[in-house]
Amino acid sequence: MGIVGNMHKAHPFADRWNHNTRWYPRIGEIVSGHQVVLDVGCGDGTLAGHLASLGHQVIGVDRDSTILPPDAPNTHFMLGDAVSLPFENDSFDAVTVVMMLHHTHQELALVEMRRVLKPGGVMVICGTARDRAPSEMLRSLADVPENLISRVGTTAWEPGTVKLDATQSWRQTRATIFEMLPGARWERIPGWRYLAVWQRPDTDQRC
């Protein structure tokens, strides 16, 4: 994955470390080569700013007007709801979603994000789920010592965004991703998170 505990000095978010910022460089790698990015549930714009620093043009949308930052170079922020995005079909080269999907109607949000993604575009989802099965609980327990190690040499930071607990299990969340985004890749990653990546086929016909 390219992000391990002894690499904090090179990590751009070592001074703003949490379970999300830890994975922003990985997300940046995945969307590399996709110029215009939509960040859904952008919050305070930290990920959007990071992607802009890598050369992307980024639009961030969030339904919480109190947290939206002002525009900055290569970034524009606006009110928007994941289940009713104010954009035309096939508008973006990439769509990113971090810890937002469990805040909304997941199926409707995925339909909307898929709609605005161009053929050949990539969608990256970083999220969480709820432990239901014993195997899920055991996997989450394994994140405890890993989390302690990963924080060494970093400065903890949390933005003032709204946080909600997930209700769907890991199994249910994965099934939803696979159903709505056929061919997606899904993996558990450290920090009680999952990472899903889907590329819209170049020949995909709009439903």
Side-chain angles (χ1 to χ4, degrees):
M1 294 182 183
I3 303 174
V4 293
N6 61 3
M7 294 178 64
H8 289 323
K9 290 184 179 179
H11 197 288
F13 290 95
D15 62 342
R16 287 180 291 165
W17 188 264
N18 59 50
H19 300 310
N20 299 331
T21 59
R22 174 181 184 175
W23 298 105
Y24 287 177
R26 176 99 181 269
I27 294 171
E29 291 173 1
I30 295 170
V31 302
S32 177
H34 296 80
Q35 182 63 24
V36 184
V37 181
L38 174 66
D39 186 29
V40 182
C42 64
D44 70 342
T46 302
L47 174 59
H50 175 65
L51 296 178
S53 75
L54 299 176
H56 299 277
Q57 299 288 328
V58 187
I59 293 180
V61 296
D62 201 287
R63 63 186 180 186
D64 183 358
S65 62
T66 65
I67 198 67
L68 281 173
D71 291 352
N74 296 327
T75 58
H76 173 65
F77 299 99
M78 57 188 292
L79 281 174
D81 195 312
V83 301
S84 182
L85 293 171
F87 307 107
E88 299 292 332
N89 294 350
D90 310 335
S91 293
F92 296 95
D93 302 311
V95 176
T96 57
V97 191
V98 176
M99 286 298 286
M100 183 285 299
L101 202 56
H102 69 282
H103 285 231
T104 189
H105 191 297
Q106 297 192 39
E107 289 85 352
L108 292 180
L110 288 168
V111 166
E112 274 292 272
M113 293 185 289
R114 189 177 64 193
R115 178 183 67 78
V116 301
L117 188 64
K118 293 179 181 179
V122 66
M123 186 187 304
V124 186
I125 305 168
C126 181
T128 192
R130 191 176 188 89
D131 291 333
R132 298 287 188 187
S135 60
E136 294 174 342
M137 297 176 186
L138 287 173
R139 174 61 182 79
S140 290
L141 281 174
D143 276 352
V144 175
E146 195 282 334
N147 175 56
L148 294 174
I149 294 170
S150 74
R151 288 181 176 274
V152 174
T154 68
T155 300
W157 174 78
E158 291 294 338
T161 52
V162 174
K163 297 174 178 61
L164 295 176
D165 292 332
T167 57
Q168 279 196 343
S169 71
W170 296 93
R171 184 188 299 273
Q172 290 171 324
T173 301
R174 183 176 58 196
T176 298
I177 296 290
F178 287 162
E179 179 183 1
M180 304 305 298
L181 305 174
R185 293 182 287 119
W186 190 98
E187 61 177 310
R188 274 291 298 261
I189 56 177
W192 300 277
R193 299 290 184 267
Y194 69 84
L195 189 68
V197 180
W198 181 71
Q199 185 166 19
R200 183 182 168 193
D202 288 324
T203 57
D204 188 22
Q205 296 297 312
R206 180 66 60 194
C207 297

